[in-house]
Amino acid sequence: MSGRGLILGIESSCDETAASVVEHGARTLSSVVASQIATHARYGGVVPELASREHLRAIVPVVRGALAQAGVTLDDLDAIAVTSGPGLAGALLVGITYAKALAFAQGIPLIAINHLEGHIHAVLLHEREAAHVEEELRFVVSQVSESRPGAPTDSTDPALALVVSGGHTHLYLCRPAHGTWTYKLVGRTVDDAAGEAYDKVAKLLGFGYPGGPWIDALAKFGNPKAVPFAFSQIKTKLHLGGKPPRTKAAKTAPIADLDPHLLFSFSGIKTAVLRYVELHGLREEAQARAARLFPNQSRHPERSAAEDLHFQATPPKSKEEALALCPQPVLDLVASFQHAVVGDLMKKTFAAAESLGASRILVTGGVAANLELRARFTAEAAHRGIRVAFPTLALSTDNAAMIAAAAWPHFQAGEFAAADLSGDPSLALGR
Ligand code: KG4
Ligand code: ZN
């Protein structure tokens, strides 16, 4: 224990094994992410059993790498933070078990962090780091300050956070309260998450996994107005009256009492894209594109499961090669899909911020890496005179710096995990 405010964060909730050391929740000393994309890509999605096995393989080198990159040892750490949910049960267990063992051996506290709170703190961490750099610069320029700047403090205004990833499309009202934060769920998807729609549409059109970066890269070559996709008003009664929807996102929080204007639904647009592909005879060319872009990727029927585990797929082709394989109608479809999804995310997020009196918007999660989303949210925020912030591109997708940063207020408040901490795949954030 160094007393330097050093927290080691560990994240293993889905298909990234990550570790990071963050100082005072405000300065990233290291961030190491081992992605399993290559393992899951040929299955077109995350295979839970393979994810757990890959986490087991990666966790020790990833944590060692994060300590080395930060130039610290286990003895320097003040606490260990780990994602306790939501996520895949077996994947969560790997990170939690390892974090528990390390904390016990070092005699330092263990802090359990909700993955969604982590995503929100990815933006706050970026804001704090930017503020710190600004303060440092001001100090260097003036040379008259009596003391060096300390850790910057967060704004005390309530913020509206949109967490938009492969598993979630949730809106939270976030309030700083006595050094920590409180979260109130104010909107969410009733079926698929936006990232899930990106992944499914990309797969349908013969692109790689995860689909978001492919669609992001190709959309700028198409006409976003070519296919008029529309989002209709969601009828809550359909969902409230019957059984709860069965998606991974849906399990994490109830939709009762939420304003229907702040509910998202992305399964309809996925079906609309499918219908468009069928109607315009684009299915075969999508299959041909997939075969050209990812030769050798699918599971071979003559390989045993054991051989399959060690099979190295041919490296996938680049996005430039994908572009060359896309006729204009496909590029137009991709651009129209993205334009509609980003438009819907914007409409509901700004409406929520306005009706709830939030003075700023935080957009985070894998889909927040999307360039059109960033540009349009930024322009709309400037137009409305409201602030909007994103994480760095690297911290938009899953990482452990956000887990270590989110743990800092809990560390200061003495909120530590019990020795019997276990993972909760459906863990909800806020009410
Ligand atoms: O936050 P994340 O890494 O993992 C989850 O917590 O789900 O998000 C992954 C999701 C995937 O669905 C991926 O397709 C999407 O984020 N994504 C993107 C982009 N980069 C990743 N979606 C749109 N545009 C991108 N540039
Ligand atoms: Zn995530």
Side-chain angles (χ1 to χ4, degrees), residues 1 17 49 86 114 151 171 242 244 251 292 347 380 382 400 418 423:
M1 206 180 286
T17 320
E49 293 75 13
N114 184 308
L171 288 168
K251 276 188 285 178
R292 292 277 298 277
K347 189 175 127 199
E380 183 68 17

PDB file of all heavy atoms in Angstrom, residues 1 17 49 86 114 151 171 242 244 251 292 347 380 382 400 418 423:
ATOM      1  N   MET A   1       0.845  -1.210   0.000  1.00  0.00           N
ATOM      2  CA  MET A   1       0.000   0.000   0.000  1.00  0.00           C
ATOM      3  C   MET A   1       0.879   1.259   0.000  1.00  0.00           C
ATOM      4  O   MET A   1       1.713   1.419   0.871  1.00  0.00           O
ATOM      5  CB  MET A   1      -0.882  -0.024   1.255  1.00  0.00           C
ATOM      6  CG  MET A   1      -2.156   0.756   1.064  1.00  0.00           C
ATOM      7  SD  MET A   1      -3.195   0.733   2.521  1.00  0.00           S
ATOM      8  CE  MET A   1      -3.850  -0.925   2.505  1.00  0.00           C
ATOM      9  N   THR A  17     -10.166  -9.055 -21.917  1.00  0.00           N
ATOM     10  CA  THR A  17      -9.528  -9.175 -20.613  1.00  0.00           C
ATOM     11  C   THR A  17      -8.706  -7.907 -20.453  1.00  0.00           C
ATOM     12  O   THR A  17      -7.845  -7.620 -21.293  1.00  0.00           O
ATOM     13  CB  THR A  17      -8.561 -10.384 -20.557  1.00  0.00           C
ATOM     14  OG1 THR A  17      -9.141 -11.474 -21.249  1.00  0.00           O
ATOM     15  CG2 THR A  17      -8.247 -10.761 -19.121  1.00  0.00           C
ATOM     16  N   GLU A  49     -18.336 -19.971 -23.485  1.00  0.00           N
ATOM     17  CA  GLU A  49     -17.337 -20.932 -22.980  1.00  0.00           C
ATOM     18  C   GLU A  49     -15.940 -20.548 -23.454  1.00  0.00           C
ATOM     19  O   GLU A  49     -14.970 -20.643 -22.705  1.00  0.00           O
ATOM     20  CB  GLU A  49     -17.654 -22.358 -23.481  1.00  0.00           C
ATOM     21  CG  GLU A  49     -18.929 -22.957 -22.929  1.00  0.00           C
ATOM     22  CD  GLU A  49     -20.195 -22.380 -23.562  1.00  0.00           C
ATOM     23  OE1 GLU A  49     -20.077 -21.695 -24.611  1.00  0.00           O
ATOM     24  OE2 GLU A  49     -21.286 -22.573 -23.006  1.00  0.00           O
ATOM     25  N   PRO A  86     -23.008  -6.172 -15.017  1.00  0.00           N
ATOM     26  CA  PRO A  86     -23.549  -7.343 -15.693  1.00  0.00           C
ATOM     27  C   PRO A  86     -22.538  -7.896 -16.694  1.00  0.00           C
ATOM     28  O   PRO A  86     -21.582  -7.212 -17.040  1.00  0.00           O
ATOM     29  CB  PRO A  86     -24.778  -6.764 -16.403  1.00  0.00           C
ATOM     30  CG  PRO A  86     -24.451  -5.322 -16.637  1.00  0.00           C
ATOM     31  CD  PRO A  86     -23.601  -4.909 -15.486  1.00  0.00           C
ATOM     32  N   ASN A 114     -19.922  -1.970 -10.969  1.00  0.00           N
ATOM     33  CA  ASN A 114     -20.885  -2.269 -12.024  1.00  0.00           C
ATOM     34  C   ASN A 114     -20.272  -1.819 -13.353  1.00  0.00           C
ATOM     35  O   ASN A 114     -19.801  -0.683 -13.481  1.00  0.00           O
ATOM     36  CB  ASN A 114     -22.196  -1.521 -11.726  1.00  0.00           C
ATOM     37  CG  ASN A 114     -23.284  -1.842 -12.726  1.00  0.00           C
ATOM     38  OD1 ASN A 114     -23.092  -1.749 -13.928  1.00  0.00           O
ATOM     39  ND2 ASN A 114     -24.455  -2.206 -12.209  1.00  0.00           N
ATOM     40  N   ALA A 151      -5.656  16.883  -7.813  1.00  0.00           N
ATOM     41  CA  ALA A 151      -6.598  16.167  -8.675  1.00  0.00           C
ATOM     42  C   ALA A 151      -7.807  17.055  -8.931  1.00  0.00           C
ATOM     43  O   ALA A 151      -8.355  17.632  -7.993  1.00  0.00           O
ATOM     44  CB  ALA A 151      -7.030  14.880  -7.991  1.00  0.00           C
ATOM     45  N   LEU A 171     -30.293   4.974 -20.530  1.00  0.00           N
ATOM     46  CA  LEU A 171     -30.124   6.382 -20.148  1.00  0.00           C
ATOM     47  C   LEU A 171     -30.174   6.492 -18.626  1.00  0.00           C
ATOM     48  O   LEU A 171     -31.099   5.955 -17.992  1.00  0.00           O
ATOM     49  CB  LEU A 171     -31.263   7.223 -20.729  1.00  0.00           C
ATOM     50  CG  LEU A 171     -31.259   7.464 -22.248  1.00  0.00           C
ATOM     51  CD1 LEU A 171     -32.591   8.056 -22.695  1.00  0.00           C
ATOM     52  CD2 LEU A 171     -30.113   8.391 -22.639  1.00  0.00           C
ATOM     53  N   GLY A 242     -47.169  -8.346 -20.892  1.00  0.00           N
ATOM     54  CA  GLY A 242     -46.758  -9.733 -21.082  1.00  0.00           C
ATOM     55  C   GLY A 242     -45.480 -10.059 -20.337  1.00  0.00           C
ATOM     56  O   GLY A 242     -45.137  -9.417 -19.355  1.00  0.00           O
ATOM     57  N   PRO A 244     -41.469 -10.299 -19.608  1.00  0.00           N
ATOM     58  CA  PRO A 244     -40.406  -9.345 -19.913  1.00  0.00           C
ATOM     59  C   PRO A 244     -39.641  -9.806 -21.154  1.00  0.00           C
ATOM     60  O   PRO A 244     -39.544 -10.993 -21.411  1.00  0.00           O
ATOM     61  CB  PRO A 244     -39.510  -9.385 -18.666  1.00  0.00           C
ATOM     62  CG  PRO A 244     -39.880 -10.615 -17.947  1.00  0.00           C
ATOM     63  CD  PRO A 244     -41.273 -10.996 -18.351  1.00  0.00           C
ATOM     64  N   LYS A 251     -32.592  -7.873 -19.301  1.00  0.00           N
ATOM     65  CA  LYS A 251     -32.567  -8.477 -17.969  1.00  0.00           C
ATOM     66  C   LYS A 251     -32.070  -7.521 -16.897  1.00  0.00           C
ATOM     67  O   LYS A 251     -32.306  -7.741 -15.732  1.00  0.00           O
ATOM     68  CB  LYS A 251     -31.644  -9.704 -18.001  1.00  0.00           C
ATOM     69  CG  LYS A 251     -32.346 -10.942 -18.496  1.00  0.00           C
ATOM     70  CD  LYS A 251     -31.458 -12.148 -18.333  1.00  0.00           C
ATOM     71  CE  LYS A 251     -30.383 -12.153 -19.385  1.00  0.00           C
ATOM     72  NZ  LYS A 251     -29.435 -13.236 -19.303  1.00  0.00           N
ATOM     73  N   ARG A 292     -15.344 -13.813 -49.587  1.00  0.00           N
ATOM     74  CA  ARG A 292     -14.125 -13.143 -50.065  1.00  0.00           C
ATOM     75  C   ARG A 292     -13.367 -12.484 -48.913  1.00  0.00           C
ATOM     76  O   ARG A 292     -12.132 -12.532 -48.845  1.00  0.00           O
ATOM     77  CB  ARG A 292     -14.482 -12.052 -51.085  1.00  0.00           C
ATOM     78  CG  ARG A 292     -15.031 -12.563 -52.416  1.00  0.00           C
ATOM     79  CD  ARG A 292     -13.919 -12.984 -53.374  1.00  0.00           C
ATOM     80  NE  ARG A 292     -13.027 -11.886 -53.745  1.00  0.00           N
ATOM     81  CZ  ARG A 292     -13.283 -11.019 -54.706  1.00  0.00           C
ATOM     82  NH1 ARG A 292     -14.412 -11.112 -55.390  1.00  0.00           N
ATOM     83  NH2 ARG A 292     -12.421 -10.076 -55.003  1.00  0.00           N
ATOM     84  N   LYS A 347     -32.273  11.845 -30.595  1.00  0.00           N
ATOM     85  CA  LYS A 347     -33.588  12.410 -30.287  1.00  0.00           C
ATOM     86  C   LYS A 347     -33.958  12.128 -28.820  1.00  0.00           C
ATOM     87  O   LYS A 347     -34.331  13.040 -28.073  1.00  0.00           O
ATOM     88  CB  LYS A 347     -34.621  11.772 -31.231  1.00  0.00           C
ATOM     89  CG  LYS A 347     -35.975  12.407 -31.176  1.00  0.00           C
ATOM     90  CD  LYS A 347     -36.878  11.799 -32.234  1.00  0.00           C
ATOM     91  CE  LYS A 347     -38.154  11.325 -31.570  1.00  0.00           C
ATOM     92  NZ  LYS A 347     -38.904  10.358 -32.343  1.00  0.00           N
ATOM     93  N   GLU A 380     -25.380  18.927 -32.438  1.00  0.00           N
ATOM     94  CA  GLU A 380     -26.682  19.167 -31.826  1.00  0.00           C
ATOM     95  C   GLU A 380     -26.518  19.839 -30.447  1.00  0.00           C
ATOM     96  O   GLU A 380     -27.284  20.731 -30.069  1.00  0.00           O
ATOM     97  CB  GLU A 380     -27.435  17.836 -31.697  1.00  0.00           C
ATOM     98  CG  GLU A 380     -28.844  17.923 -31.130  1.00  0.00           C
ATOM     99  CD  GLU A 380     -29.835  18.632 -32.052  1.00  0.00           C
ATOM    100  OE1 GLU A 380     -29.533  18.777 -33.254  1.00  0.00           O
ATOM    101  OE2 GLU A 380     -30.894  19.066 -31.546  1.00  0.00           O
ATOM    102  N   ALA A 382     -24.060  21.775 -29.509  1.00  0.00           N
ATOM    103  CA  ALA A 382     -23.671  23.179 -29.722  1.00  0.00           C
ATOM    104  C   ALA A 382     -24.905  23.988 -30.081  1.00  0.00           C
ATOM    105  O   ALA A 382     -25.112  25.096 -29.589  1.00  0.00           O
ATOM    106  CB  ALA A 382     -22.624  23.257 -30.834  1.00  0.00           C
ATOM    107  N   ALA A 400     -10.218  -1.503 -18.563  1.00  0.00           N
ATOM    108  CA  ALA A 400     -10.216  -1.572 -17.098  1.00  0.00           C
ATOM    109  C   ALA A 400      -9.912  -0.229 -16.456  1.00  0.00           C
ATOM    110  O   ALA A 400     -10.112  -0.067 -15.245  1.00  0.00           O
ATOM    111  CB  ALA A 400      -9.210  -2.618 -16.624  1.00  0.00           C
ATOM    112  N   ALA A 418     -17.519  -7.637   0.030  1.00  0.00           N
ATOM    113  CA  ALA A 418     -17.388  -8.695   1.042  1.00  0.00           C
ATOM    114  C   ALA A 418     -16.562  -9.838   0.455  1.00  0.00           C
ATOM    115  O   ALA A 418     -16.412  -9.951  -0.770  1.00  0.00           O
ATOM    116  CB  ALA A 418     -18.774  -9.194   1.429  1.00  0.00           C
ATOM    117  N   GLY A 423     -20.148 -12.913  -9.060  1.00  0.00           N
ATOM    118  CA  GLY A 423     -20.603 -12.149 -10.232  1.00  0.00           C
ATOM    119  C   GLY A 423     -22.121 -12.175 -10.347  1.00  0.00           C
ATOM    120  O   GLY A 423     -22.762 -13.143  -9.958  1.00  0.00           O
TER     121      GLY A 423
END
